[in-house]
């Protein structure tokens, strides 16, 4: 061996029955998930067809060297192939008794979008005879060969699968038969010849010079060539667009690479005592403790997942004649694997003439509801601890449970039902292609993707759509698995749905209902129903398993979780989700609707009495707002931020006004009215700023119009006084936005304290109201020691802090160039979604300096990052007292904060 680095690892037994496995489950970074667990299953004594795994690192080296092989690897592969032949006692390509193998991709993380598996590799014009001899079943042998050519051409050579499907259909028509299974051995032999012809016609000789024989491309007869091309295709698939998109979507590194597993074939299609299936050790949809899955008798590979034939539920396996023993053994394997991995497992198996073989296992994907249920039951079963249970649930996934459901009071007609494959309800326009879903999303329209069955090509559309609806496939079909992983509602296997994707419409069998592209439909993935039209949705409550896990999370959590809410309803909702206060109550939202008129009057009038009346009106309205907020959050802190946005945001849009004036002129309106509009226009123009985000807003506005903060503080203090007199315990805090220098805060602090003292005296109650600031400008963060001297608390406004740290205008950059930056990996992720390390550094500096200036300073975060689990973990590391996020994200933040605390133990 010239090679220093170990790149190939054997798994399974040798000819004497000894386990010669070189890997184990902890080697996923090298062997990929599939390879590492094939090794693990072999190590714990399960029947695994022997094979070997080529490492992920080899894939990266191959890819980084512009698709050329590192030195010596091909020789090593050759050695392992020969070793495999010795272990099995058969040779690839042998004309008497050939070894056939599968070539399977397998990255460290489970990754749909990678290359599909190639089965039956090693068949050629010689070895077909061996297969016929050994099985005495020419039909099976020819069927295997034609499947191999078809798969190899499609998966490895990237030829259109339809070329082959069409040829089969033509053959069936010629023979006057309905089903593939009606084709005879001779028919299939003829198909093999036809498939080879299609291969020759469609493969580019320039691209594959090694396949040219006698001047034309030929289907490769040499098993070594077949194997090498297949392995190269797996490696190449690491960088195909589907895989790249999936990694970006799931924040998976591009540097991991995929392993390749070469494994001896087992045949599930050798008759009625053979079968193939997929299963979960528990129900992945709701977490119930039951064996869950499907199998097909006399079938191979992806037949189950492809939804081509109707499958049987796994529970029936042990009652199926000829499969009883394997069925019983399989149930034993389920239990063994669960106890071994201490988690729910997802399993692929094949039975060849009554003998069970394990082809794959991994910790199974599950819905959020199932994740909670399984974690809790496993604690009850003593399999895992409460803390492990808390660590097991993905916070981001909880979002699913907080997804909308059909309103119980809504009236609707169910037009069809299917399998409840992924829970939650979705409403949107029906679309019949992934492209249409993507296009609609770009225009802000919601869609439901309707497909016969989804394939990895549909991934972008599945992400874009609200929900997924298929007419074929079971609960382990592609659509179901991917939808559950994404948390998207999915109903699959709706038999009655007759889809004509070409015509962009579907009909419901037995009715005259036609669903056209663009028609609104609703689906409920929890129950499996499909409804024509839009059903009203409602948000679910925190209860049951979710509540239990969150209680366990709260037992270990040290960082607080508050909510951002601007009205009593949201505050109430946040409280019911476990918020420990309001981290940000924005007051500008309180000036919309009817109130807009009042503030416009204030801004645009020069007459002092008119202005004073406007301020009084605003005061009355605001006092009412705060009464509601403080009452909803009685006993918990409510941080009220004083007016933040530029004033012109409350004024009419000059463009709209321009249009109106033009129309008035064109229709000959009263000149006086036109003049009045013009004057208004000039006034509004005078408020225009080049860069409003960096202009007169926040504390700057308060300094220019001190009457506004006085009014707001008075309203806060008055509401507090009134509630106190009613015996409640309101706890407002006042937050000054956009401070960059200490004197700004000192000035506002003095104003606020003066007003609070006045109100306390007038109302005759004691009022203690902490006064703090937002830290959302780099200057504030780096001079936090000074600013903290005038602050009782800091709240890091990480949205603005991200904008001002990068110099990004969020609304512009997020649509303009951030996508490009992400695609080119100039940024690893969107810094507005997960806090950027540079911004986090400023937060850390702010917290540390802040405590130097004021040891009692309370520090929190109120940007949207407060609801992002990854950011929550970073904030925990910085030592923040709490995060604050939108009400629906509160449960996620509670769980993420608990996980951060546990990870720290
Ligand atoms: P995926 O990553 O899409 O799950 P796999 O590599 O697991 O792809 O292959 C898909 C299916 O192909 C398996 O579930 C199994 O049914 C079949 N298969 C793969 N390898 C073998 C084999 N050595 N013998 C029999 N069937 C196989
Ligand atoms: Mg698999
Ligand atoms: Mg801000």
């Amino acid at each position: 061996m010239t090679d220093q680095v170990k790149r190939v690892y054997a798994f399974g037994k040798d000819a004497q029955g000894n386990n010669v496995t070189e890997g184990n489950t902890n080697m996923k970074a090298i062997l990929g998930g599939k390879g590492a667990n094939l090794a693990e299953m072999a190590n714990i004594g399960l029947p695994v067809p022997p094979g070997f795994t080529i490492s992920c690192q080899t894939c990266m080296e191959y890819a980084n060297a512009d698709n050329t092989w590192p030195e010596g690897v091909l020789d090593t592969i050759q050695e392992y192939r020969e070793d495999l032949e010795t272990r099995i006692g058969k040779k690839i390509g042998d004309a008497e008794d050939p070894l056939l193998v599968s070539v399977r991709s397998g990255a460290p993380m489970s990754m749909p979008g990678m290359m599909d598996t190639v089965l039956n590799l090693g068949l050629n014009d010689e070895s077909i005879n061996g297969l016929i001899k050994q099985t005495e079943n020419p039909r099976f042998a020819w069927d295997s060969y034609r499947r191999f050519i078809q798969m190899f051409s499609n998966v490895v050579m990237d030829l259109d699968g339809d070329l082959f499907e069409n040829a089969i259909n033509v053959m069936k028509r010629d023979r006057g038969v309905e089903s593939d299974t009606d084709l005879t051995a001779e028919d299939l032999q003829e198909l093999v010849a036809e498939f080879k012809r299609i291969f020759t016609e469609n493969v580019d000789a320039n691209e594959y010079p090694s396949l040219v024989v006698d001047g034309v491309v030929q289907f490769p007869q040499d098993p070594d060539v077949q194997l090498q091309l297949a392995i190269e295709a797996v490696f190449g698939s690491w960088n195909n667009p589907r895989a790249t998109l999936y990694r970006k979507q799931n924040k998976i590194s591009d540097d991991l690479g995929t392993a390749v597993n070469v494994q001896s074939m087992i045949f599930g299609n050798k008759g009625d005592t053979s079968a193939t299936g997929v299963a979960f050790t528990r129900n992945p949809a709701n977490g119930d403790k039951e064996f869950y899955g499907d199998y097909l008798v006399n079938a191979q590979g992806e037949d189950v997942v492809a939804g081509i034939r109707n499958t049987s539920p796994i529970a029936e396996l042990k009652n199926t004649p000829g499969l009883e023993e394997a069925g019983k053994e399989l149930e034993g394997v389920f239990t063994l694997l669960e106890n071994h991995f201490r988690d729910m497992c997802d399993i692929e198996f094949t039975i060849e003439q009554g003998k069970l073989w394990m082809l794959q296992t991994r910790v199974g994907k599950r819905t959020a509801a199932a994740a909670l249920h399984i974690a809790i039951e496993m604690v009850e079963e003593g399999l895992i601890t409460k803390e492990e249970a808390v660590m097991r649930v993905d916070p981001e996934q909880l979002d699913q449970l907080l997804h909308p459901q059909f309103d119980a009071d809504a009236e609707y007609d169910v037009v069809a039902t299917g399998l409840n494959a992924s829970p939650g309800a979705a409403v949107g326009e029906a679309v019949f292609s992934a492209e249409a879903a993507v296009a609609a999303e770009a225009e802000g329209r919601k869609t439901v993707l309707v497909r016969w069955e989804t394939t990895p090509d549909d991934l972008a559309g599945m992400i874009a759509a609200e929900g997924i609806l298929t007419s074929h496939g079971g609960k382990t079909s592609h659509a179901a698995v991917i939808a559950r992983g994404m948390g998207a509602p999915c109903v699959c296997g709706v038999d009655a749905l007759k889809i004509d994707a070409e015509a962009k419409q579907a009909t419901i069998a037995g009715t005259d209902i036609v669903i056209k592209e663009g028609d609104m439909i609703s689906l409920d993935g929890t129950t499996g129903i499909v409804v024509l039209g839009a059903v009203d949705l409602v948000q679910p409550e925190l209860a049951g398993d979710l509540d239990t896990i969150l209680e366990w999370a709260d037992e270990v959590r040290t960082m607080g979780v508050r909510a951002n809410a601007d009205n009593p309803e949201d505050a109430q909702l946040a409280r019911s989700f476990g918020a420990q206060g309001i981290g940000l109550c924005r007051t500008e939202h309180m000036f919309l609707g009817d109130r807009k008129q009042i503030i416009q009057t204030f801004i645009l009038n020069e007459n002092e009495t008119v202005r004073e009346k406007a301020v009084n009106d605003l005061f009355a309205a605001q006092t009412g707002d705060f009464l509601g907020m403080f009452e909803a959050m009685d006993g918990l802190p409510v941080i009220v931020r004083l007016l933040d946005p530029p004033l012109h945001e409350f004024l009419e849009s000059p463009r709209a006004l321009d249009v109106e004036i033009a129309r008035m002129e064109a229709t000959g309106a009263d000149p006086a009215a036109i003049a009045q509009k013009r004057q208004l226009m000039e006034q509004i123009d005078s408020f225009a700023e080049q860069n409003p985000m960096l202009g007169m807003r926040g504390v700057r506005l308060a300094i220019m119009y001190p009457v506004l903060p006085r009014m707001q503080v008075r309203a806060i203090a008055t509401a507090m006084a009134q509630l106190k007199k009613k015996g409640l315990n309101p706890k407002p805090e006042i937050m000054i936005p956009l401070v960059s220098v200490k004197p700004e805060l000192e000035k506002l602090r003095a104003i606020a304290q003066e007003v609070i003292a006045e109100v306390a005296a007038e109302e005759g109650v004691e009022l203690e109201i902490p006064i703090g600031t937002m830290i959302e400008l780099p200057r504030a963060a780096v001079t936090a020691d000074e600013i903290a001297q005038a602050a009782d608390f800091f709240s890091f406004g990480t949205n603005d802090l991200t904008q001002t740290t990068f110099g990004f205008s969020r609304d512009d950059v997020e649509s303009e160039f951030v996508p490009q930056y992400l695609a080119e990996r100039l940024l690893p992720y969107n810094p507005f979604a997960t806090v950027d390390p540079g911004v986090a550094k400023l937060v850390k500096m702010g917290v540390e300096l802040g405590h130097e200036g004021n040891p009692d300073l309370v520090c929190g975060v109120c940007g949207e990052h407060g609801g992002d689990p990854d950011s929550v973990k970073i904030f925990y590391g910085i030592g923040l007292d709490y995060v604050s996020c939108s009400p629906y994200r509160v449960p996620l933040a509670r769980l993420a904060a608990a996980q951060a605390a546990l990870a720290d133990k």
Side-chain angles (χ1 to χ4, degrees):
M1 227 186 278
T2 49
D3 221 4
Q4 297 296 306
V5 196
K6 185 163 174 61
R7 288 206 172 88
V8 187
Y9 295 75
F11 60 81
K13 294 184 172 169
D14 67 8
Q16 288 70 45
N18 304 312
N19 178 24
V20 294
T21 303
E22 296 177 296
N24 62 56
T25 189
N26 299 319
M27 293 168 67
K28 293 195 181 73
I30 299 170
L31 303 177
K34 200 179 286 168
N37 279 350
L38 280 169
E40 189 77 0
M41 286 197 292
N43 287 334
I44 62 176
L46 294 180
V48 174
F52 57 87
T53 306
I54 306 162
S55 74
C56 301
Q57 287 67 34
T58 312
C59 168
M60 285 321 290
E61 280 180 59
Y62 175 85
N64 291 338
D66 223 358
N67 296 350
T68 53
W69 284 92
E71 206 180 304
V73 186
L74 286 173
D75 294 337
T76 314
I77 293 173
Q78 176 81 7
E79 282 169 32
Y80 272 84
R81 202 207 79 190
E82 284 167 11
D83 173 59
L84 182 63
E85 290 175 334
T86 313
R87 286 157 64 196
I88 308 262
K90 296 181 185 186
K91 285 197 178 311
I92 300 192
D94 193 78
E96 290 300 317
D97 185 9
L99 168 64
L100 301 184
V101 295
S102 63
V103 174
R104 317 172 65 189
S105 61
M109 324 257 186
S110 158
M111 258 185 61
M114 299 283 310
M115 193 202 80
D116 296 322
T117 301
V118 179
L119 302 177
N120 307 336
L121 188 136
L123 277 175
N124 58 22
D125 296 345
E126 301 264 305
S127 61
I128 177 78
N129 298 316
L131 193 61
I132 293 171
K133 224 175 271 175
Q134 290 302 321
T135 57
E136 293 175 4
N137 187 344
R139 194 191 176 281
F140 159 79
W142 285 110
D143 191 43
S144 299
Y145 196 12
R146 73 95 194 153
R147 280 172 190 254
F148 171 51
I149 300 174
Q150 187 171 354
M151 261 192 203
F152 189 90
S153 305
N154 178 231
V155 170
V156 178
M157 312 302 291
D158 214 20
L159 297 190
D160 187 352
D162 284 349
L163 292 170
F164 300 91
E165 286 303 329
N166 290 342
I168 297 177
N169 288 334
V170 168
M171 165 83 70
K172 282 197 288 197
R173 207 178 314 136
D174 273 6
R175 303 292 188 268
V177 298
E178 279 281 311
S179 154
D180 291 11
T181 46
D182 297 328
L183 294 175
T184 64
E186 290 70 32
D187 295 337
L188 292 164
Q189 184 172 0
E190 218 172 282
L191 261 187
V192 164
E194 173 65 7
F195 280 13
K196 285 197 216 156
R197 202 191 52 71
I198 295 173
F199 187 94
T200 299
E201 208 162 83
N202 290 280
V203 173
D204 182 359
N206 297 322
E207 216 179 317
Y208 294 97
S210 67
L211 297 184
V212 178
V213 183
D214 302 332
V216 288
V217 169
Q218 306 246 336
F219 184 78
Q221 290 293 314
D222 181 347
D224 280 331
V225 173
Q226 295 176 353
L227 187 59
Q228 185 175 333
L229 284 174
I231 296 171
E232 288 174 354
V234 175
F235 282 174
S237 72
W238 176 254
N239 284 322
N240 76 25
R242 274 178 353 217
T244 311
L245 171 67
Y246 183 85
R247 287 200 293 275
K248 211 167 84 185
Q249 192 75 25
N250 291 277
K251 295 190 192 166
I252 297 174
S253 160
D254 283 332
D255 306 326
L256 301 176
T258 177
V260 179
N261 301 286
V262 177
Q263 186 173 32
S264 50
M265 279 302 299
I266 296 300
F267 296 98
N269 50 343
K270 268 193 182 169
D272 287 345
T273 59
S274 300
T276 183
V278 295
F280 293 84
T281 57
R282 301 192 188 209
N283 183 321
N286 63 21
D288 281 353
K289 194 170 180 182
E290 65 190 8
F291 302 138
Y292 183 97
D294 318 281
Y295 70 96
L296 266 179
V297 170
N298 197 10
Q300 188 178 50
E302 304 282 63
D303 294 357
V304 178
V305 199
I308 293 163
R309 274 199 272 150
N310 282 333
T311 55
S312 313
I314 205 82
E316 280 173 23
L317 187 63
K318 61 175 190 285
N319 305 321
T320 305
L323 296 171
E324 298 95 337
E325 281 308 308
K328 265 184 236 145
E329 189 185 347
L330 185 65
E331 296 198 354
V333 170
F334 287 161
T335 312
L336 185 77
L337 284 175
E338 262 212 357
N339 289 333
H340 185 72
F341 287 101
R342 299 167 63 243
D343 207 341
M344 183 263 266
C345 297
D346 163 351
I347 287 163
E348 296 176 7
F349 65 91
T350 286
I351 299 167
E352 178 174 317
Q353 295 180 323
K355 167 145 180 54
L356 174 69
W357 292 95
M358 302 304 296
L359 289 173
Q360 191 174 329
T361 193
R362 63 189 157 196
V363 167
K365 292 212 165 138
R366 60 202 81 179
T367 63
L372 294 168
H373 199 63
I374 291 170
I376 290 169
E377 286 206 337
M378 286 193 167
V379 170
E380 285 162 4
E381 290 162 26
L383 211 52
I384 60 173
T385 64
K386 271 190 193 179
E387 297 188 348
E388 281 175 299
V390 168
M391 291 302 275
R392 285 270 171 99
V393 181
D394 175 8
E396 201 57 67
Q397 218 193 356
L398 287 189
D399 209 24
Q400 283 180 26
L401 294 180
L402 306 164
H403 264 328
Q405 310 288 339
F406 280 179
D407 184 346
D409 297 330
E411 298 217 344
Y412 49 82
D413 286 325
V414 175
V415 292
T417 57
L419 301 169
N420 51 341
S422 179
V427 177
E429 298 172 21
V431 289
F432 296 92
S433 69
E435 295 73 44
V438 171
E441 192 201 28
E443 291 169 13
R445 288 182 289 121
K446 298 187 166 176
T447 57
V448 170
L449 179 61
V450 185
R451 301 286 285 157
W452 195 78
E453 158 62 326
T454 60
T455 71
D457 288 332
D458 292 321
L459 193 60
M462 297 172 80
I463 293 167
E466 299 293 302
I468 296 150
L469 176 60
T470 69
S471 56
H472 283 72
K475 285 187 186 178
T476 47
S477 66
H478 181 266
V481 172
I482 299 295
R484 281 199 295 271
M486 298 193 312
C490 172
V491 175
C492 64
V494 181
D495 288 333
L497 196 63
K498 303 297 169 203
I499 299 171
D500 184 346
E502 196 98 310
K504 298 186 182 172
Q505 64 172 42
T507 54
I508 308 280
T511 73
D512 50 13
I513 296 172
V514 181
I515 301 171
K516 295 212 178 66
E517 188 148 296
D519 288 352
M520 289 303 276
I521 56 173
S522 307
L523 59 85
D524 184 346
T526 315
T527 53
I529 63 180
V530 184
V531 176
L532 208 55
V535 178
D536 287 342
L537 302 181
V538 290
Q539 287 290 346
E541 294 167 10
L542 236 187
D545 292 338
L546 178 54
D547 208 24
T548 306
I549 288 279
L550 288 175
E551 271 173 27
W552 293 351
D554 287 349
E555 286 169 19
V556 293
R557 176 164 65 89
T558 51
M559 187 165 64
V561 175
R562 299 188 189 177
N564 300 345
D566 309 335
N567 58 61
E569 296 74 47
D570 283 357
Q572 200 65 60
L573 181 71
R575 195 170 190 159
S576 75
F577 282 161
Q580 296 159 292
I582 298 298
L584 175 63
C585 169
R586 303 179 190 84
T587 49
E588 54 271 19
H589 295 180
M590 299 172 174
F591 293 96
L592 301 176
D594 308 343
R595 317 257 184 97
K596 205 163 166 182
Q597 203 49 55
I598 316 178
I599 193 153
Q600 282 182 358
T601 308
F602 169 79
I603 299 168
L604 298 175
N605 254 286
E606 248 123 70
N607 181 322
E608 270 315 311
T609 0
V610 176
R611 283 175 81 121
E612 203 172 299
K613 162 134 192 348
V615 170
N616 286 338
D617 288 349
L618 286 174
F619 166 73
Q622 285 259 274
T623 307
D625 295 331
F626 295 136
L627 281 170
M629 281 302 285
F630 302 162
E631 193 164 355
M633 294 308 282
D634 192 43
L636 296 175
V638 177
I639 294 184
V640 180
R641 178 176 73 183
L642 301 190
L643 211 53
D644 183 44
L647 280 187
H648 77 88
E649 280 194 16
F650 298 109
L651 302 176
E652 279 168 69
S653 126
R655 203 182 291 172
L657 208 52
D658 214 13
V659 172
E660 196 183 335
I661 291 170
R663 204 187 43 227
M664 286 170 87
E665 282 173 343
T667 55
D670 174 14
I674 297 177
Q676 206 184 351
K677 288 277 175 194
R678 278 197 188 287
Q679 199 204 338
L680 179 63
M681 173 95 166
E682 272 165 35
Q683 252 182 316
I684 290 174
D685 277 344
S686 73
F687 285 96
E689 292 176 283
Q690 288 296 337
N691 252 321
M693 191 194 80
L694 301 176
M696 198 172 62
R697 49 173 285 221
V699 67
R700 304 158 192 176
L701 189 64
I703 287 169
M704 298 306 287
Y705 295 88
V707 63
L708 288 177
R710 278 183 185 282
M711 175 278 290
Q712 289 198 293
V713 172
R714 179 167 280 277
I716 293 167
T718 304
M720 179 180 185
Q722 290 183 7
L723 291 175
K724 271 191 110 170
K725 285 195 223 164
K726 275 172 52 184
L728 298 183
N729 182 21
K731 299 175 89 172
E733 305 186 11
I734 291 170
M735 178 153 76
I736 318 295
L738 218 73
V739 163
S740 49
V741 294
K742 179 182 169 193
E744 288 173 325
L745 182 58
E746 283 176 328
K747 174 156 186 169
L748 263 292
R749 189 178 180 89
I751 292 176
Q753 282 175 334
E754 189 188 311
V755 175
I756 294 166
E758 279 169 23
V759 176
E762 286 161 22
E763 301 276 345
V765 284
E766 230 175 275
L767 298 178
E768 242 192 79
I769 305 181
I771 298 165
T773 181
M774 276 182 101
I775 302 289
E776 50 192 335
L777 295 170
R779 193 188 188 286
V782 301
T783 58
D785 46 346
E786 292 169 21
I787 293 174
Q789 290 165 6
D792 299 313
F793 64 86
F794 280 175
S795 178
F796 290 84
T798 49
N799 294 350
D800 270 339
L801 191 57
T802 302
Q803 297 203 86
T804 55
T805 300
F806 277 93
F808 278 171
S809 157
R810 176 175 186 169
D811 294 340
D812 301 320
V813 306
E814 261 192 325
S815 57
E816 294 290 325
F817 61 78
V818 166
Q820 175 84 8
Y821 266 48
L822 295 177
E824 291 191 27
R825 300 271 166 164
L826 299 174
L827 284 172
Y829 50 79
N830 178 355
F832 292 103
T834 295
V835 68
D836 164 75
V839 175
K841 227 174 189 174
L842 280 172
V843 174
K844 184 162 192 264
M845 184 183 279
V847 171
E848 284 168 4
L849 290 176
H851 281 117
E852 279 174 29
N854 172 7
D856 298 327
L857 191 75
V858 178
C859 292
V861 161
C862 64
E864 272 168 82
H865 300 103
D868 168 61
D870 291 338
S871 305
V872 169
K873 289 170 190 173
I874 295 169
F875 294 139
Y876 172 88
I878 291 174
L880 288 169
D881 297 301
Y882 67 86
V883 292
S884 187
C885 55
S886 79
Y888 288 113
R889 306 289 293 183
V890 165
L892 280 67
R894 285 167 68 192
L895 184 60
Q899 292 182 346
L902 284 172
D904 202 27
K905 269 195 174 172

